[in-house]
Amino acid sequence: MTHTTGTIRRDAADLAESLLTHDDVELDRPFTILTHGETSGLVERREALRPVYEAIVARIGRPKLLGGTAHGPSVRWSTSERILLLSGDHSEATLSVHQAESFVRAEFSALDSGRLPYTWQLDRHGPGEDHGWTFNGHAAANGWASCEERLAGILASWAEHMPIQAPGDWASFKLWASRDWGRTLLVAYEPFEKDREFHAAVQDRDHEQTPERAAEMRARGWQYVDEHRWWRTTLPETDPMAAAALARLIVTDLRARGTVCPDEVTAWDISAGDAGDLWVPGIGVDVHPRRGEHF
């Protein structure tokens, strides 16, 4: 269980303001603002963090960058000298403040070496300083197991954090494989689709939709086919295995159509509510277009 009181919200807002504005704060130290029980799921964690996050935003304003890791939030507020980071994992949420230039240099170095300080990042052009170190590389996962894990992680992270950070917005991308170029596999998180928040669909127009084909597609994890020969699967965010199941379906379908490795797959049309720039270094495949030069 997680519990949120007015005192917790006020304390978190006070701490955020202090870390961002006071001269004598301790840099690089994480301060816990919320704890989660061992059995709490993503929806429970999300709803516990929501009022705390809203109290912080009400006090210090909108963040510069939204985002998340596979285990927690990754939201930042920026001044010319400091970066305030809301982060954490499945056990807690924390606030920490960092010297801006050294923080973005270290983060760039981490990304460049293959470590992921965030799984996704959404730039809604919020207030604050842009410190000009933006990683524009991208690397596919080193195998299908890793690819599946990364896809599951980003989907679960969207479900846990997007409704708080960007209320009402969906997030989606399309996948194309080089050996099956032109076939779209759509993947989305749609918070407004109650009990069907996770969604995947694939074009199957080049196959006759026979009972044998239906059995084959259902064996991969697809649920039904529509009148346009798109096979679809929807799963509820309340199912703790839904993100992993959707990721497994995606990888299974790609491999069944002849894709040999994640290097042959490209994600494109990556968007969150058609607003701002959504970057997904943790997606597990290549992306198009790549994040632009930004120095």
Side-chain angles (χ1 to χ4, degrees):
M1 295 287 291
T2 56
H3 301 280
T4 307
T5 67
T7 300
I8 291 173
R9 294 194 289 271
R10 287 192 300 273
D11 288 350
D14 290 345
L15 176 63
E17 184 177 38
S18 175
L19 290 174
L20 200 58
T21 61
H22 291 186
D23 292 333
D24 58 348
V25 296
E26 185 177 353
L27 297 177
D28 305 322
R29 175 188 168 187
F31 294 86
T32 299
I33 59 171
L34 183 67
T35 58
H36 303 296
E38 291 183 6
T39 61
S40 62
L42 72 84
V43 174
E44 186 178 2
R45 292 191 300 268
R46 182 181 73 202
E47 296 312 310
L49 181 58
R50 187 191 299 274
V52 179
Y53 178 82
E54 290 174 349
I56 293 170
V57 172
R59 179 70 62 85
I60 65 175
R62 292 189 299 122
K64 179 63 180 173
L65 293 169
L66 309 175
T69 70
H71 307 288
S74 179
V75 185
R76 70 189 62 180
W77 292 258
S78 301
T79 69
S80 59
E81 296 181 352
R82 294 182 186 179
I83 287 176
L84 175 67
L85 181 68
L86 169 63
S87 58
D89 53 28
H90 290 169
S91 65
E92 64 178 8
T94 66
L95 285 172
S96 56
V97 70
H98 311 268
Q99 198 281 326
E101 185 174 355
S102 62
F103 179 87
V104 294
R105 284 178 182 269
E107 184 174 75
F108 185 95
S109 177
L111 285 161
D112 198 36
S113 64
R115 291 172 287 131
L116 295 176
Y118 52 84
T119 298
W120 60 276
Q121 189 174 80
L122 178 58
D123 186 354
R124 284 281 170 81
H125 311 292
E129 294 292 321
D130 186 339
H131 296 284
W133 281 79
T134 299
F135 180 74
N136 67 327
H138 229 282
N142 61 357
W144 287 119
S146 177
C147 182
E148 189 175 309
E149 182 180 359
R150 290 193 185 189
L151 285 168
I154 204 167
L155 288 168
S157 184
W158 282 348
E160 185 166 344
H161 303 296
M162 190 74 72
I164 296 176
Q165 299 177 28
D169 283 351
W170 47 264
S172 71
F173 56 90
K174 297 172 182 176
L175 297 177
W176 278 14
S178 59
R179 294 173 190 258
D180 192 25
W181 198 251
R183 185 188 310 279
T184 296
L185 200 166
L186 172 68
V187 185
Y189 169 69
E190 301 171 330
F192 43 82
E193 295 287 350
K194 179 65 174 174
D195 296 325
R196 299 184 300 167
E197 291 86 359
F198 293 117
H199 176 216
V202 68
Q203 294 173 328
D204 202 44
R205 295 171 186 159
D206 52 338
H207 286 85
E208 185 181 357
Q209 298 303 306
T210 63
E212 292 76 17
R213 182 60 176 172
E216 181 182 359
M217 294 297 283
R218 290 193 176 98
R220 296 180 192 178
W222 296 108
Q223 294 173 342
Y224 66 95
V225 63
D226 66 20
E227 65 274 19
H228 303 294
R229 297 189 186 181
W230 281 79
W231 277 90
R232 300 180 182 274
T233 289
T234 61
L235 297 170
E237 65 179 11
T238 50
D239 179 353
M241 302 307 296
L246 205 68
R248 189 178 313 114
L249 162 63
I250 294 162
V251 168
T252 299
D253 195 82
L254 287 167
R255 298 183 72 178
R257 297 178 190 275
T259 303
V260 173
C261 63
D263 283 322
E264 298 180 347
V265 183
T266 301
W268 58 284
D269 200 13
I270 304 162
S271 184
D274 285 333
D277 300 309
L278 176 61
W279 310 111
V280 287
I283 199 171
V285 298
D286 200 359
V287 300
H288 177 79
R290 290 181 176 274
R291 195 170 192 171
E293 294 288 343
H294 189 70
F295 296 102

